[in-house]
Amino acid sequence: MPELPEVETVRRSLFPLIKNRTIENVIVYFPRMIKEPDVETFKRRVRGQTFKAIERLGKHLLFKVGDLTMIVHLRMEGKFMIKAIDAPKDKHEHLRFNLSDGQALCYYDVRKFGTLHLKEANTLYTTKPLRHVAHEPISEAFDFNAFAEKLKSDRPVKAAILDQKVISGIGNIYADEILFCASIHPDTPARELSRARIKKLAECAKTILNKAVESGGTTIRTYKNALGVDGMFQLHLNVHMREGEACKKCGRTLKKKKTAGRGTYFCPTCQKKGRKT
DNA sequence: CTCCATGTTCTCTG
DNA sequence: ACAGAGAACATGGA
């Protein structure tokens, strides 16, 4: 379940392996992954281009190829790997870029939920999927007042911070960790949060995402980063996947419930509803 | 066999 | 029209 820290780890580890390589050929095994433009146009435009950079916005990877940008979203289980150009197709391999150095950049996705959009510079940020993506809590551009304004909603605060239009980069794991850090019950209606608690929420989001990036992300279940490298932030998880275990702050038993349609881990003592601190 | 998990977008409801 | 809830997507594992 790659969230901002995992996607950032992919970005950092992958770029040195493809930097300045030219795409000699593109093989699409699962055409539905290419959302824009049609597959033939996509192949024609990308062939012959060179990887100039990988950027990231929230959970989106932005591959700069020539003057074009490939926006890739890994959704739940998307991964990239490098292998020899003549290696046979693996199970769950959906896309392959044959590179000028004899290696191939391959995309894998068991769930097939990942997406790719190819954009020109003039529409990159003004069209889907990046059009409405909010700033990240760790970005210089993060605007606290805009964030507070978007929390004026009746939704549970957990639903609000999972919404990429409100704040970007946070998924189910870090949402739980951030709310625990801020001592906020996940079901608290977003508009009931005081300005001080919103401040705390934004600070916790920044601290936790930065720390997770430093740790190379979180490795749980089957998720592994590019090259199969494991992140280590799971060692710092305070609530996520710890149902029935002791709270590291108060020692009481952590609970699991469903909020915003998502499995939600929290401490009923440290994260009381209506708490004012 | 059934149910669950997961991020995002689409569709339905009030 | 709006916000919010729920379904859909795909597939492996419990």
Side-chain angles (χ1 to χ4, degrees):
Chain A
M1 304 103 244
E3 307 179 29
L4 186 154
E6 292 75 36
V7 177
E8 176 63 13
T9 302
V10 170
R11 189 190 74 76
R12 291 181 184 183
S13 54
L14 196 54
F15 185 56
L17 305 178
I18 63 171
K19 182 181 180 182
N20 292 335
R21 270 50 154 205
T22 297
I23 300 168
E24 309 260 303
N25 199 13
V26 186
I27 305 165
V28 180
Y29 301 109
F30 183 63
R32 261 192 297 163
M33 169 176 187
I34 314 295
K35 300 298 177 186
E36 176 189 351
D38 66 84
V39 174
E40 288 312 312
T41 307
F42 168 72
K43 288 188 193 173
R44 181 160 41 79
R45 288 194 184 153
V46 163
R47 202 175 290 138
Q49 304 287 357
T50 299
F51 284 105
K52 297 292 187 196
I54 310 178
E55 298 175 1
R56 184 186 54 69
L57 178 61
K59 305 176 193 176
H60 299 268
L61 283 168
L62 281 60
F63 293 85
K64 299 298 198 176
V65 287
D67 294 330
L68 299 169
T69 304
M70 290 196 297
I71 308 169
V72 175
H73 197 299
L74 305 173
R75 295 292 180 100
M76 281 125 75
E77 297 199 30
K79 315 173 174 41
F80 283 101
M81 299 287 264
I82 303 282
K83 64 184 186 187
I85 211 165
D86 54 359
K89 175 187 173 300
D90 286 309
K91 196 178 181 184
H92 308 309
E93 181 182 337
H94 302 319
L95 182 61
R96 183 187 294 209
F97 298 93
N98 289 337
L99 305 178
S100 47
D101 64 352
Q103 302 281 97
L105 171 65
C106 302
Y107 177 79
Y108 297 79
D109 192 343
V110 172
R111 290 285 176 274
K112 297 182 172 174
F113 282 180
T115 58
L116 186 155
H117 295 75
L118 182 69
K119 297 281 184 183
E120 297 183 51
N122 59 335
T123 57
L124 181 55
Y125 293 104
T126 55
T127 56
K128 283 204 284 191
L130 302 186
R131 174 83 175 86
H132 294 293
V133 177
H135 291 304
E136 307 165 357
I138 60 170
S139 163
E140 299 251 334
F142 181 76
D143 180 340
F144 177 76
N145 289 325
F147 175 55
E149 199 58 36
K150 287 174 186 169
L151 289 179
K152 289 181 179 171
S153 140
D154 296 326
R155 287 189 292 181
V157 61
K158 173 155 176 182
I161 64 171
L162 285 171
D163 185 342
Q164 305 300 300
K165 299 188 283 299
V166 172
I167 188 167
S168 70
I170 299 170
N172 205 36
I173 296 172
Y174 296 109
D176 285 353
E177 295 301 315
I178 289 164
L179 291 170
F180 174 77
C181 165
S183 304
I184 296 171
H185 192 290
D187 286 349
T188 309
R191 74 166 73 252
E192 289 180 12
L193 296 171
S194 67
R195 200 163 173 88
R197 302 194 78 204
I198 297 173
K199 200 88 195 172
K200 177 76 176 166
L201 181 60
E203 280 167 13
C204 286
K206 183 175 178 178
T207 307
I208 286 174
L209 291 183
N210 272 327
K211 197 169 172 190
V213 168
E214 278 175 39
S215 304
T218 297
T219 306
I220 55 174
R221 301 235 181 84
T222 58
Y223 180 73
K224 288 194 180 218
N225 288 322
L227 317 173
V229 174
D230 286 5
M232 295 304 287
F233 193 73
Q234 63 276 14
L235 302 176
H236 302 285
L237 294 177
N238 285 311
V239 287
H240 195 80
M241 297 289 281
R242 295 191 67 237
E243 180 184 18
E245 295 180 36
C247 172
K248 293 181 186 178
K249 278 188 205 165
C250 75
R252 291 198 51 194
T253 307
L254 298 175
K255 300 292 185 196
K256 181 182 183 184
K257 69 186 299 297
K258 207 155 191 112
T259 292
R262 292 282 172 267
T264 298
Y265 301 83
F266 71 110
C267 174
T269 307
C270 296
Q271 295 168 267
K272 283 207 185 303
K273 270 190 223 177
R275 217 178 121 129
K276 296 296 179 208
T277 50

